[in-house]
PDB file of all heavy atoms in Angstrom:
ATOM      1  N   GLY L 524     -37.093  36.545  11.524  1.00 58.00           N
ATOM      2  CA  GLY L 524     -38.126  37.444  11.037  1.00 58.00           C
ATOM      3  C   GLY L 524     -39.063  37.857  12.148  1.00 58.00           C
ATOM      4  O   GLY L 524     -38.719  37.810  13.332  1.00 58.00           O
ATOM      5  N   SER L 525     -40.292  38.274  11.777  1.00 66.00           N
ATOM      6  CA  SER L 525     -41.303  38.722  12.766  1.00 66.00           C
ATOM      7  C   SER L 525     -40.736  39.799  13.668  1.00 66.00           C
ATOM      8  O   SER L 525     -40.860  39.735  14.895  1.00 66.00           O
ATOM      9  CB  SER L 525     -41.812  37.522  13.603  1.00 66.00           C
ATOM     10  OG  SER L 525     -42.368  36.527  12.782  1.00 66.00           O
ATOM     11  N   THR L 526     -40.138  40.803  13.039  1.00 72.00           N
ATOM     12  CA  THR L 526     -39.495  41.873  13.817  1.00 72.00           C
ATOM     13  C   THR L 526     -40.465  42.585  14.729  1.00 72.00           C
ATOM     14  O   THR L 526     -40.134  42.938  15.867  1.00 72.00           O
ATOM     15  CB  THR L 526     -38.832  42.882  12.860  1.00 72.00           C
ATOM     16  OG1 THR L 526     -37.910  42.191  12.018  1.00 72.00           O
ATOM     17  CG2 THR L 526     -38.094  43.955  13.646  1.00 72.00           C
ATOM     18  N   GLY L 527     -41.688  42.791  14.253  1.00 78.00           N
ATOM     19  CA  GLY L 527     -42.681  43.471  15.084  1.00 78.00           C
ATOM     20  C   GLY L 527     -42.972  42.731  16.369  1.00 78.00           C
ATOM     21  O   GLY L 527     -43.052  43.332  17.448  1.00 78.00           O
ATOM     22  N   TYR L 528     -43.146  41.413  16.261  1.00 78.00           N
ATOM     23  CA  TYR L 528     -43.409  40.612  17.456  1.00 78.00           C
ATOM     24  C   TYR L 528     -42.200  40.586  18.373  1.00 78.00           C
ATOM     25  O   TYR L 528     -42.323  40.566  19.602  1.00 78.00           O
ATOM     26  CB  TYR L 528     -43.779  39.173  17.056  1.00 78.00           C
ATOM     27  CG  TYR L 528     -45.185  39.061  16.506  1.00 78.00           C
ATOM     28  CD1 TYR L 528     -45.428  39.127  15.142  1.00 78.00           C
ATOM     29  CD2 TYR L 528     -46.268  38.879  17.364  1.00 78.00           C
ATOM     30  CE1 TYR L 528     -46.710  39.015  14.636  1.00 78.00           C
ATOM     31  CE2 TYR L 528     -47.558  38.761  16.870  1.00 78.00           C
ATOM     32  CZ  TYR L 528     -47.772  38.833  15.501  1.00 78.00           C
ATOM     33  OH  TYR L 528     -49.046  38.725  15.000  1.00 78.00           O
ATOM     34  N   LEU L 529     -40.997  40.554  17.783  1.00 78.00           N
ATOM     35  CA  LEU L 529     -39.772  40.563  18.599  1.00 78.00           C
ATOM     36  C   LEU L 529     -39.696  41.838  19.410  1.00 78.00           C
ATOM     37  O   LEU L 529     -39.425  41.800  20.626  1.00 78.00           O
ATOM     38  CB  LEU L 529     -38.554  40.446  17.676  1.00 78.00           C
ATOM     39  CG  LEU L 529     -37.179  40.336  18.344  1.00 78.00           C
ATOM     40  CD1 LEU L 529     -36.231  39.483  17.482  1.00 78.00           C
ATOM     41  CD2 LEU L 529     -36.538  41.717  18.527  1.00 78.00           C
ATOM     42  N   LEU L 530     -39.954  42.990  18.770  1.00 84.00           N
ATOM     43  CA  LEU L 530     -39.905  44.264  19.482  1.00 84.00           C
ATOM     44  C   LEU L 530     -41.000  44.361  20.538  1.00 84.00           C
ATOM     45  O   LEU L 530     -40.797  44.904  21.631  1.00 84.00           O
ATOM     46  CB  LEU L 530     -40.009  45.414  18.493  1.00 84.00           C
ATOM     47  CG  LEU L 530     -38.839  45.568  17.504  1.00 84.00           C
ATOM     48  CD1 LEU L 530     -39.125  46.674  16.500  1.00 84.00           C
ATOM     49  CD2 LEU L 530     -37.536  45.843  18.245  1.00 84.00           C
ATOM     50  N   ALA L 531     -42.178  43.816  20.198  1.00 87.00           N
ATOM     51  CA  ALA L 531     -43.273  43.849  21.163  1.00 87.00           C
ATOM     52  C   ALA L 531     -42.940  43.023  22.400  1.00 87.00           C
ATOM     53  O   ALA L 531     -43.229  43.425  23.535  1.00 87.00           O
ATOM     54  CB  ALA L 531     -44.545  43.326  20.508  1.00 87.00           C
ATOM     55  N   GLY L 532     -42.320  41.852  22.187  1.00 83.00           N
ATOM     56  CA  GLY L 532     -41.945  41.017  23.318  1.00 83.00           C
ATOM     57  C   GLY L 532     -40.900  41.702  24.195  1.00 83.00           C
ATOM     58  O   GLY L 532     -40.984  41.659  25.426  1.00 83.00           O
ATOM     59  N   ALA L 533     -39.915  42.339  23.545  1.00 83.00           N
ATOM     60  CA  ALA L 533     -38.885  43.057  24.299  1.00 83.00           C
ATOM     61  C   ALA L 533     -39.475  44.221  25.063  1.00 83.00           C
ATOM     62  O   ALA L 533     -39.111  44.471  26.228  1.00 83.00           O
ATOM     63  CB  ALA L 533     -37.797  43.536  23.343  1.00 83.00           C
ATOM     64  N   ALA L 534     -40.384  44.951  24.431  1.00 89.00           N
ATOM     65  CA  ALA L 534     -41.005  46.108  25.090  1.00 89.00           C
ATOM     66  C   ALA L 534     -41.839  45.674  26.281  1.00 89.00           C
ATOM     67  O   ALA L 534     -41.801  46.311  27.355  1.00 89.00           O
ATOM     68  CB  ALA L 534     -41.871  46.864  24.079  1.00 89.00           C
ATOM     69  N   THR L 535     -42.567  44.571  26.141  1.00 90.00           N
ATOM     70  CA  THR L 535     -43.383  44.067  27.253  1.00 90.00           C
ATOM     71  C   THR L 535     -42.510  43.640  28.425  1.00 90.00           C
ATOM     72  O   THR L 535     -42.801  43.956  29.593  1.00 90.00           O
ATOM     73  CB  THR L 535     -44.253  42.893  26.780  1.00 90.00           C
ATOM     74  OG1 THR L 535     -45.027  43.292  25.654  1.00 90.00           O
ATOM     75  CG2 THR L 535     -45.178  42.430  27.892  1.00 90.00           C
ATOM     76  N   ALA L 536     -41.436  42.911  28.117  1.00 86.00           N
ATOM     77  CA  ALA L 536     -40.517  42.499  29.179  1.00 86.00           C
ATOM     78  C   ALA L 536     -39.856  43.694  29.837  1.00 86.00           C
ATOM     79  O   ALA L 536     -39.702  43.753  31.056  1.00 86.00           O
ATOM     80  CB  ALA L 536     -39.458  41.555  28.607  1.00 86.00           C
ATOM     81  N   GLY L 537     -39.483  44.690  29.019  1.00 86.00           N
ATOM     82  CA  GLY L 537     -38.869  45.900  29.562  1.00 86.00           C
ATOM     83  C   GLY L 537     -39.819  46.632  30.492  1.00 86.00           C
ATOM     84  O   GLY L 537     -39.414  47.109  31.560  1.00 86.00           O
ATOM     85  N   LEU L 538     -41.095  46.711  30.106  1.00 91.00           N
ATOM     86  CA  LEU L 538     -42.095  47.364  30.961  1.00 91.00           C
ATOM     87  C   LEU L 538     -42.262  46.616  32.275  1.00 91.00           C
ATOM     88  O   LEU L 538     -42.356  47.232  33.349  1.00 91.00           O
ATOM     89  CB  LEU L 538     -43.435  47.451  30.213  1.00 91.00           C
ATOM     90  CG  LEU L 538     -44.577  48.132  30.952  1.00 91.00           C
ATOM     91  CD1 LEU L 538     -44.236  49.586  31.269  1.00 91.00           C
ATOM     92  CD2 LEU L 538     -45.873  48.059  30.135  1.00 91.00           C
ATOM     93  N   LEU L 539     -42.302  45.285  32.206  1.00 90.00           N
ATOM     94  CA  LEU L 539     -42.429  44.497  33.427  1.00 90.00           C
ATOM     95  C   LEU L 539     -41.222  44.682  34.329  1.00 90.00           C
ATOM     96  O   LEU L 539     -41.357  44.774  35.567  1.00 90.00           O
ATOM     97  CB  LEU L 539     -42.596  43.020  33.063  1.00 90.00           C
ATOM     98  CG  LEU L 539     -42.796  42.054  34.234  1.00 90.00           C
ATOM     99  CD1 LEU L 539     -43.985  42.453  35.090  1.00 90.00           C
ATOM    100  CD2 LEU L 539     -42.971  40.624  33.720  1.00 90.00           C
ATOM    101  N   LEU L 540     -40.036  44.773  33.764  1.00 86.00           N
ATOM    102  CA  LEU L 540     -38.826  45.004  34.565  1.00 86.00           C
ATOM    103  C   LEU L 540     -38.887  46.356  35.257  1.00 86.00           C
ATOM    104  O   LEU L 540     -38.439  46.504  36.409  1.00 86.00           O
ATOM    105  CB  LEU L 540     -37.586  44.911  33.675  1.00 86.00           C
ATOM    106  CG  LEU L 540     -37.208  43.494  33.196  1.00 86.00           C
ATOM    107  CD1 LEU L 540     -36.077  43.568  32.166  1.00 86.00           C
ATOM    108  CD2 LEU L 540     -36.775  42.617  34.368  1.00 86.00           C
ATOM    109  N   VAL L 541     -39.409  47.363  34.565  1.00 87.00           N
ATOM    110  CA  VAL L 541     -39.554  48.693  35.177  1.00 87.00           C
ATOM    111  C   VAL L 541     -40.516  48.626  36.368  1.00 87.00           C
ATOM    112  O   VAL L 541     -40.240  49.199  37.433  1.00 87.00           O
ATOM    113  CB  VAL L 541     -40.076  49.701  34.125  1.00 87.00           C
ATOM    114  CG1 VAL L 541     -40.470  51.016  34.801  1.00 87.00           C
ATOM    115  CG2 VAL L 541     -39.001  49.964  33.083  1.00 87.00           C
ATOM    116  N   VAL L 542     -41.622  47.904  36.217  1.00 89.00           N
ATOM    117  CA  VAL L 542     -42.580  47.753  37.310  1.00 89.00           C
ATOM    118  C   VAL L 542     -41.923  47.044  38.492  1.00 89.00           C
ATOM    119  O   VAL L 542     -42.076  47.447  39.660  1.00 89.00           O
ATOM    120  CB  VAL L 542     -43.822  46.991  36.823  1.00 89.00           C
ATOM    121  CG1 VAL L 542     -44.740  46.660  38.023  1.00 89.00           C
ATOM    122  CG2 VAL L 542     -44.574  47.793  35.793  1.00 89.00           C
ATOM    123  N   ILE L 543     -41.182  45.953  38.205  1.00 85.00           N
ATOM    124  CA  ILE L 543     -40.497  45.230  39.273  1.00 85.00           C
ATOM    125  C   ILE L 543     -39.487  46.126  39.978  1.00 85.00           C
ATOM    126  O   ILE L 543     -39.388  46.116  41.221  1.00 85.00           O
ATOM    127  CB  ILE L 543     -39.797  43.979  38.697  1.00 85.00           C
ATOM    128  CG1 ILE L 543     -40.844  42.974  38.188  1.00 85.00           C
ATOM    129  CG2 ILE L 543     -38.888  43.330  39.733  1.00 85.00           C
ATOM    130  CD1 ILE L 543     -40.226  41.788  37.435  1.00 85.00           C
ATOM    131  N   ALA L 544     -38.751  46.918  39.209  1.00 83.00           N
ATOM    132  CA  ALA L 544     -37.769  47.823  39.799  1.00 83.00           C
ATOM    133  C   ALA L 544     -38.438  48.831  40.716  1.00 83.00           C
ATOM    134  O   ALA L 544     -37.956  49.119  41.822  1.00 83.00           O
ATOM    135  CB  ALA L 544     -37.003  48.531  38.688  1.00 83.00           C
ATOM    136  N   TRP L 545     -39.558  49.373  40.268  1.00 85.00           N
ATOM    137  CA  TRP L 545     -40.295  50.373  41.089  1.00 85.00           C
ATOM    138  C   TRP L 545     -40.765  49.761  42.395  1.00 85.00           C
ATOM    139  O   TRP L 545     -40.629  50.360  43.471  1.00 85.00           O
ATOM    140  CB  TRP L 545     -41.449  50.929  40.275  1.00 85.00           C
ATOM    141  CG  TRP L 545     -42.261  51.947  41.017  1.00 85.00           C
ATOM    142  CD1 TRP L 545     -41.966  53.262  41.222  1.00 85.00           C
ATOM    143  CD2 TRP L 545     -43.499  51.709  41.706  1.00 85.00           C
ATOM    144  NE1 TRP L 545     -42.949  53.870  41.957  1.00 85.00           N
ATOM    145  CE2 TRP L 545     -43.897  52.947  42.281  1.00 85.00           C
ATOM    146  CE3 TRP L 545     -44.314  50.582  41.868  1.00 85.00           C
ATOM    147  CZ2 TRP L 545     -45.084  53.078  43.018  1.00 85.00           C
ATOM    148  CZ3 TRP L 545     -45.492  50.717  42.603  1.00 85.00           C
ATOM    149  CH2 TRP L 545     -45.857  51.942  43.176  1.00 85.00           C
ATOM    150  N   LEU L 546     -41.337  48.546  42.314  1.00 82.00           N
ATOM    151  CA  LEU L 546     -41.830  47.896  43.507  1.00 82.00           C
ATOM    152  C   LEU L 546     -40.697  47.593  44.491  1.00 82.00           C
ATOM    153  O   LEU L 546     -40.837  47.765  45.712  1.00 82.00           O
ATOM    154  CB  LEU L 546     -42.550  46.588  43.132  1.00 82.00           C
ATOM    155  CG  LEU L 546     -43.885  46.760  42.398  1.00 82.00           C
ATOM    156  CD1 LEU L 546     -44.406  45.405  41.925  1.00 82.00           C
ATOM    157  CD2 LEU L 546     -44.919  47.425  43.309  1.00 82.00           C
ATOM    158  N   LEU L 547     -39.575  47.102  43.956  1.00 77.00           N
ATOM    159  CA  LEU L 547     -38.435  46.781  44.815  1.00 77.00           C
ATOM    160  C   LEU L 547     -37.881  48.022  45.509  1.00 77.00           C
ATOM    161  O   LEU L 547     -37.568  48.000  46.706  1.00 77.00           O
ATOM    162  CB  LEU L 547     -37.337  46.088  44.021  1.00 77.00           C
ATOM    163  CG  LEU L 547     -37.629  44.661  43.555  1.00 77.00           C
ATOM    164  CD1 LEU L 547     -36.509  44.160  42.651  1.00 77.00           C
ATOM    165  CD2 LEU L 547     -37.807  43.724  44.748  1.00 77.00           C
ATOM    166  N   LEU L 548     -37.748  49.108  44.755  1.00 77.00           N
ATOM    167  CA  LEU L 548     -37.238  50.345  45.343  1.00 77.00           C
ATOM    168  C   LEU L 548     -38.177  50.888  46.410  1.00 77.00           C
ATOM    169  O   LEU L 548     -37.751  51.337  47.482  1.00 77.00           O
ATOM    170  CB  LEU L 548     -37.009  51.379  44.244  1.00 77.00           C
ATOM    171  CG  LEU L 548     -35.762  51.195  43.379  1.00 77.00           C
ATOM    172  CD1 LEU L 548     -35.755  52.165  42.213  1.00 77.00           C
ATOM    173  CD2 LEU L 548     -34.489  51.356  44.209  1.00 77.00           C
ATOM    174  N   ARG L 549     -39.464  50.832  46.121  1.00 78.00           N
ATOM    175  CA  ARG L 549     -40.447  51.358  47.088  1.00 78.00           C
ATOM    176  C   ARG L 549     -40.477  50.513  48.341  1.00 78.00           C
ATOM    177  O   ARG L 549     -40.501  51.032  49.454  1.00 78.00           O
ATOM    178  CB  ARG L 549     -41.833  51.391  46.442  1.00 78.00           C
ATOM    179  CG  ARG L 549     -42.893  51.966  47.371  1.00 78.00           C
ATOM    180  CD  ARG L 549     -44.234  52.064  46.679  1.00 78.00           C
ATOM    181  NE  ARG L 549     -45.220  52.651  47.568  1.00 78.00           N
ATOM    182  CZ  ARG L 549     -46.501  52.818  47.261  1.00 78.00           C
ATOM    183  NH1 ARG L 549     -46.935  52.439  46.062  1.00 78.00           N
ATOM    184  NH2 ARG L 549     -47.345  53.353  48.119  1.00 78.00           N
ATOM    185  N   TYR L 550     -40.436  49.178  48.172  1.00 74.00           N
ATOM    186  CA  TYR L 550     -40.486  48.302  49.329  1.00 74.00           C
ATOM    187  C   TYR L 550     -39.233  48.428  50.159  1.00 74.00           C
ATOM    188  O   TYR L 550     -39.273  48.397  51.405  1.00 74.00           O
ATOM    189  CB  TYR L 550     -40.668  46.855  48.861  1.00 74.00           C
ATOM    190  CG  TYR L 550     -40.697  45.852  50.000  1.00 74.00           C
ATOM    191  CD1 TYR L 550     -41.768  45.797  50.893  1.00 74.00           C
ATOM    192  CD2 TYR L 550     -39.642  44.957  50.175  1.00 74.00           C
ATOM    193  CE1 TYR L 550     -41.789  44.886  51.913  1.00 74.00           C
ATOM    194  CE2 TYR L 550     -39.649  44.045  51.206  1.00 74.00           C
ATOM    195  CZ  TYR L 550     -40.737  44.014  52.086  1.00 74.00           C
ATOM    196  OH  TYR L 550     -40.749  43.116  53.115  1.00 74.00           O
ATOM    197  N   SER L 551     -38.072  48.563  49.496  1.00 68.00           N
ATOM    198  CA  SER L 551     -36.810  48.648  50.234  1.00 68.00           C
ATOM    199  C   SER L 551     -36.739  49.873  51.137  1.00 68.00           C
ATOM    200  O   SER L 551     -36.056  49.862  52.156  1.00 68.00           O
ATOM    201  CB  SER L 551     -35.629  48.632  49.264  1.00 68.00           C
ATOM    202  OG  SER L 551     -35.634  49.797  48.472  1.00 68.00           O
ATOM    203  N   ARG L 552     -37.445  50.945  50.770  1.00 68.00           N
ATOM    204  CA  ARG L 552     -37.410  52.177  51.587  1.00 68.00           C
ATOM    205  C   ARG L 552     -38.096  51.980  52.938  1.00 68.00           C
ATOM    206  O   ARG L 552     -37.761  52.661  53.908  1.00 68.00           O
ATOM    207  CB  ARG L 552     -38.095  53.315  50.819  1.00 68.00           C
ATOM    208  CG  ARG L 552     -37.304  53.797  49.621  1.00 68.00           C
ATOM    209  CD  ARG L 552     -38.104  54.823  48.832  1.00 68.00           C
ATOM    210  NE  ARG L 552     -37.361  55.300  47.668  1.00 68.00           N
ATOM    211  CZ  ARG L 552     -37.892  56.063  46.713  1.00 68.00           C
ATOM    212  NH1 ARG L 552     -39.160  56.436  46.795  1.00 68.00           N
ATOM    213  NH2 ARG L 552     -37.164  56.449  45.685  1.00 68.00           N
ATOM    214  N   THR L 553     -39.099  51.087  52.973  1.00 65.00           N
ATOM    215  CA  THR L 553     -39.834  50.869  54.219  1.00 65.00           C
ATOM    216  C   THR L 553     -39.200  49.841  55.137  1.00 65.00           C
ATOM    217  O   THR L 553     -39.621  49.673  56.271  1.00 65.00           O
ATOM    218  CB  THR L 553     -41.284  50.451  53.899  1.00 65.00           C
ATOM    219  OG1 THR L 553     -41.247  49.169  53.236  1.00 65.00           O
ATOM    220  CG2 THR L 553     -41.963  51.467  52.996  1.00 65.00           C
ATOM    221  N   LEU L 554     -38.191  49.126  54.624  1.00 60.00           N
ATOM    222  CA  LEU L 554     -37.554  48.080  55.428  1.00 60.00           C
ATOM    223  C   LEU L 554     -36.626  48.710  56.475  1.00 60.00           C
ATOM    224  O   LEU L 554     -35.876  49.635  56.161  1.00 60.00           O
ATOM    225  CB  LEU L 554     -36.718  47.156  54.536  1.00 60.00           C
ATOM    226  CG  LEU L 554     -37.408  45.976  53.866  1.00 60.00           C
ATOM    227  CD1 LEU L 554     -36.399  45.225  53.014  1.00 60.00           C
ATOM    228  CD2 LEU L 554     -38.038  45.043  54.879  1.00 60.00           C
ATOM    229  N   PRO L 555     -36.657  48.194  57.704  1.00 63.00           N
ATOM    230  CA  PRO L 555     -35.627  48.601  58.670  1.00 63.00           C
ATOM    231  C   PRO L 555     -34.238  48.229  58.126  1.00 63.00           C
ATOM    232  O   PRO L 555     -34.094  47.247  57.418  1.00 63.00           O
ATOM    233  CB  PRO L 555     -35.971  47.773  59.918  1.00 63.00           C
ATOM    234  CG  PRO L 555     -37.416  47.414  59.743  1.00 63.00           C
ATOM    235  CD  PRO L 555     -37.638  47.253  58.280  1.00 63.00           C
ATOM    236  N   ILE L 556     -33.266  49.026  58.514  1.00 58.00           N
ATOM    237  CA  ILE L 556     -31.943  48.856  57.930  1.00 58.00           C
ATOM    238  C   ILE L 556     -31.379  47.454  58.166  1.00 58.00           C
ATOM    239  O   ILE L 556     -30.748  46.859  57.273  1.00 58.00           O
ATOM    240  CB  ILE L 556     -30.975  49.926  58.481  1.00 58.00           C
ATOM    241  CG1 ILE L 556     -29.695  49.944  57.657  1.00 58.00           C
ATOM    242  CG2 ILE L 556     -30.694  49.712  59.947  1.00 58.00           C
ATOM    243  CD1 ILE L 556     -29.852  50.522  56.298  1.00 58.00           C
ATOM    244  N   GLY L 557     -31.633  46.890  59.340  1.00 61.00           N
ATOM    245  CA  GLY L 557     -31.103  45.553  59.616  1.00 61.00           C
ATOM    246  C   GLY L 557     -31.721  44.493  58.724  1.00 61.00           C
ATOM    247  O   GLY L 557     -31.030  43.643  58.166  1.00 61.00           O
ATOM    248  N   LYS L 558     -33.050  44.570  58.531  1.00 66.00           N
ATOM    249  CA  LYS L 558     -33.713  43.604  57.663  1.00 66.00           C
ATOM    250  C   LYS L 558     -33.290  43.795  56.208  1.00 66.00           C
ATOM    251  O   LYS L 558     -33.162  42.821  55.448  1.00 66.00           O
ATOM    252  CB  LYS L 558     -35.226  43.750  57.786  1.00 66.00           C
ATOM    253  CG  LYS L 558     -35.792  43.194  59.079  1.00 66.00           C
ATOM    254  CD  LYS L 558     -37.308  43.205  59.073  1.00 66.00           C
ATOM    255  CE  LYS L 558     -37.853  42.564  60.340  1.00 66.00           C
ATOM    256  NZ  LYS L 558     -39.348  42.569  60.340  1.00 66.00           N
ATOM    257  N   PHE L 559     -33.101  45.041  55.811  1.00 62.00           N
ATOM    258  CA  PHE L 559     -32.667  45.296  54.440  1.00 62.00           C
ATOM    259  C   PHE L 559     -31.354  44.578  54.153  1.00 62.00           C
ATOM    260  O   PHE L 559     -31.212  43.901  53.127  1.00 62.00           O
ATOM    261  CB  PHE L 559     -32.504  46.792  54.187  1.00 62.00           C
ATOM    262  CG  PHE L 559     -31.789  47.103  52.910  1.00 62.00           C
ATOM    263  CD1 PHE L 559     -32.425  47.014  51.685  1.00 62.00           C
ATOM    264  CD2 PHE L 559     -30.429  47.462  52.923  1.00 62.00           C
ATOM    265  CE1 PHE L 559     -31.749  47.281  50.494  1.00 62.00           C
ATOM    266  CE2 PHE L 559     -29.759  47.739  51.735  1.00 62.00           C
ATOM    267  CZ  PHE L 559     -30.414  47.634  50.522  1.00 62.00           C
ATOM    268  N   PHE L 560     -30.397  44.734  55.046  1.00 64.00           N
ATOM    269  CA  PHE L 560     -29.117  44.095  54.832  1.00 64.00           C
ATOM    270  C   PHE L 560     -29.232  42.561  54.902  1.00 64.00           C
ATOM    271  O   PHE L 560     -28.555  41.839  54.174  1.00 64.00           O
ATOM    272  CB  PHE L 560     -28.076  44.601  55.839  1.00 64.00           C
ATOM    273  CG  PHE L 560     -27.350  45.818  55.374  1.00 64.00           C
ATOM    274  CD1 PHE L 560     -27.874  47.067  55.599  1.00 64.00           C
ATOM    275  CD2 PHE L 560     -26.150  45.710  54.693  1.00 64.00           C
ATOM    276  CE1 PHE L 560     -27.208  48.192  55.172  1.00 64.00           C
ATOM    277  CE2 PHE L 560     -25.480  46.837  54.252  1.00 64.00           C
ATOM    278  CZ  PHE L 560     -26.015  48.091  54.481  1.00 64.00           C
TER     279      PHE L 560
END
Side-chain angles (χ1 to χ4, degrees):
S525 301
T526 303
Y528 285 94
L529 184 149
L530 294 176
T535 305
L538 180 61
L539 181 57
L540 288 172
V541 170
V542 173
I543 293 173
W545 180 79
L546 290 173
L547 289 174
L548 283 172
R549 182 177 182 182
Y550 178 70
S551 66
R552 290 174 181 171
T553 64
L554 274 179
I556 192 72
K558 286 187 177 180
F559 167 77
F560 272 87

